[in-house]
Amino acid sequence: MTVEEEQCVRVLVPAGVLGWGVSADELEAGLALKPHAIAIDAGSTDSGPAYLATGRTKYGRQSIKRDLSLLMDIRRRAGVPLLIGSCGTSGCDMAVDQTLETTIEVAREHGEALRIAVIYSEQGKEDLKVRSAGGMVTPLAPAGPLSDASLEACNHIVALLGPEPYMAAVAAGADIVLGGRTTDTAVLAAIPLMRGAHVAAAWHAAKIAECGGLCSVNPTGPGVMMSIDRDGFTIEPLSPQNRCTPETVSAHMLYENSDPFRLVEPGGVLDVTEAQYRALDDRRVRVTGSRWETKPYTMKLEGAGGGPFQTIMLIGIEDPAVLEDVDGFVERMARGLRERVNRTLGAEAGSIDISLRPYGWNAVSGRPAGGNAAPPREIGLMFIATAPTQAMATEAARVCNPFFFHFPVREGTEIPSYAFPFSPAEIERGQVFEFHLNHVVHTASPFELARTRWIDVAAAPEKSASA
Amino acid sequence: MWQPPRKSLPVPKLNEVCRYIRSKNAGPFWVTVDLFFDSGESYAKYHDDPAISAAAIADIYGVDAALVKRFPVPSLNMVKISYPRATPQGGVHERDMHSGQQFVPLLQLQLMSRS
């Protein structure tokens, strides 16, 4: 091994998210490159508020278990730590515990002895109220100051961890670290930072690698290797057939980022304005010139809770008489349904919202389709009743059902019937969930909002002898 | 000597000078739009066009112009524009959970800069 290689910290990033489907071939290729750690993100708010509000995971248990099993096998053979951030999509305590349970199950199946550190980051409302009253919680644009009502509206609140609790857990001997909600970058940057790599390069590499192969020419190859040294970093796809180019790597700074140059992290800001991206060969890219500005430590909050309930219905319409004036038809129907709900449901009607979304016309934007738009060949008209309870939403849908199904094209004409695909026609969609927090907590230490728990899994006796 | 009146070339629409335009949520409270111009020449000519100014974007999406963020990225011949969502991702009236279709009103945007 050359001196240059020894000074380099390599992190195998097997995919953009746990449960996506890591590649066994790629992991073997990654193992041959002698990584110092395997790290992967397992969560995001990307798919909306339901996951944090309910603690439910986006990927199924079987998908997560399959990835975990392959990663734990590679980890054991590499003899390096495995770090998983934002476990169970939202990273709230119950989601982390689900991942822990699956990890223990895999360890038992493998007959493997393991030291697992679990870092929780779910926060209590009362504690946050006290911090907020003390001026330690500040809003991010476009939010206003934190109100107790916003905290109360949340089912779960998490603080985004930085890398420090991961570094401490690995230093204390963890084989596997399962983290609560963590910034996507922190979990990947932890080991390079711990081993003294260039700070800005560690964060920048982590930002580039956070979605796995998305920074490569062929994003269906899920894994990448990030190698950080004292001056910069190199990124390469795990698959020998895949390639990273300066364009694919630098363009990844644009993805899902509101600012392509500056990324706020716990304890500082990564600034890549002056970064240089250079091809080392046809599949590896070298990056230098990123900067890190140390700032007072802040941890971002995420919180989500449940709102009203929805029941939906869908009809297909091919009748040209309707399609020649979709706007007029939908407007008349909306008025007709509203009147029927008011008439039938009395006092309750005021709390019920009825929305019609003509797919194939302007359901996505909600904007007028424009006078010169040609009639579509068909539309799917979605009906959404939103009410304080599921029962009320369904009651409203059933009240509207015959009108929705038979609404005449013109008053006084024969009654048409549109195309319902289902029986019963109404579908109870469940609760609407909402994000409530867009704030940061100012902390004196990176550990202030983190709680670490240790779990030792003993080796299965009958398998340990042959291991 | 008589000369015919000079014909000005038509000013293009945004999708005629971009190879790719996309939109995506950037966290639950922001939308980010990426305009990839089709060449360095198009980028130089149109990246500051008044039709894609912060004020014009604010108008299109019905948001406060002071909150619209605009980042020219010359190395990629692109401009990134980010604006706050009118309501947080996923509420009762959500129509586009990932804001993935929010770029569409920009495609036919009439640019204003003349060469």
Side-chain angles (χ1 to χ4, degrees), chain A residues 129-463:
Chain A
K129 284 180 193 170
V130 172
R131 289 177 191 271
S132 180
M136 302 311 280
V137 182
T138 52
L140 298 171
L146 181 65
S147 68
D148 286 359
S150 303
L151 291 172
E152 288 301 341
C154 296
N155 296 351
H156 296 282
I157 299 169
V158 290
L160 276 76
L161 296 167
E164 295 83 358
Y166 288 85
M167 294 155 72
V170 170
D175 298 313
I176 296 180
V177 186
L178 302 176
R181 186 68 172 124
T182 305
T183 76
D184 294 356
T185 38
V187 65
L188 307 191
I191 297 296
L193 291 171
M194 184 180 172
R195 287 173 163 260
H198 188 280
V199 173
W203 284 104
H204 192 181
K207 174 62 200 170
I208 295 299
E210 63 160 349
C211 292
L214 219 53
C215 65
S216 71
V217 171
N218 179 7
T220 54
V224 294
M225 181 73 81
M226 52 185 244
S227 311
I228 302 97
D229 52 53
R230 288 176 191 174
D231 303 309
F233 73 92
T234 300
I235 186 108
E236 65 183 295
L238 293 181
S239 162
Q241 283 83 43
N242 199 358
R243 301 186 298 123
C244 284
T245 71
E247 290 71 34
T248 64
V249 171
S250 61
H252 191 67
M253 286 305 296
L254 304 172
Y255 190 69
E256 292 178 348
N257 257 4
S258 63
D259 183 332
F261 297 119
R262 289 172 65 81
L263 193 68
V264 180
E265 291 286 345
V269 175
L270 170 67
D271 187 326
V272 306
T273 313
E274 305 294 329
Q276 301 288 316
Y277 302 81
R278 181 167 59 89
L280 278 187
D281 50 37
D282 67 351
R283 54 186 303 282
R284 294 184 302 158
V285 173
R286 171 86 181 150
V287 184
T288 52
S290 10
R291 289 194 309 255
W292 175 259
E293 298 166 18
T294 301
K295 301 271 187 192
Y297 213 86
T298 57
M299 295 173 77
K300 191 175 171 186
L301 294 177
E302 289 169 354
F309 293 78
Q310 294 182 322
T311 297
I312 65 173
M313 298 188 286
L314 180 71
I315 47 175
I317 305 179
E318 280 191 320
D319 183 346
V322 172
L323 300 179
E324 71 183 20
D325 179 22
V326 177
D327 287 331
F329 177 79
V330 170
E331 196 189 311
R332 287 192 300 277
M333 183 194 268
R335 214 164 37 230
L337 296 181
R338 186 73 251 172
E339 281 164 11
R340 188 168 164 84
V341 167
N342 291 348
R343 202 165 55 237
T344 317
L345 297 179
E348 279 188 345
S351 61
I352 297 169
D353 180 81
I354 304 293
S355 174
L356 293 174
R357 315 260 177 105
Y359 281 92
W361 186 245
N362 71 342
V364 178
S365 72
R367 295 162 184 254
N372 56 356
R377 214 186 66 74
E378 67 172 37
I379 57 170
L381 184 58
M382 185 161 76
F383 164 99
I384 308 174
T386 306
T389 65
Q390 188 72 69
M392 275 172 73
T394 298
E395 185 64 33
R398 292 164 84 173
V399 162
C400 290
N401 179 322
F403 271 48
F404 184 58
F405 180 42
H406 295 299
F407 199 80
V409 182
R410 277 175 296 278
E411 256 177 83
T413 56
E414 288 83 351
I415 297 295
S417 299
Y418 304 115
F420 269 131
F422 308 118
S423 171
E426 77 277 4
I427 302 166
E428 295 196 332
R429 203 202 61 72
Q431 197 169 19
V432 176
F433 299 102
E434 292 161 323
F435 285 113
H436 294 289
L437 306 181
N438 188 21
H439 299 77
V440 294
V441 183
H442 300 254
T443 65
S445 126
F447 297 90
E448 209 173 296
L449 302 180
R451 306 179 316 278
T452 302
R453 171 185 165 205
W454 290 90
I455 288 110
D456 287 302
V457 183
E462 72 274 20
K463 290 194 179 172

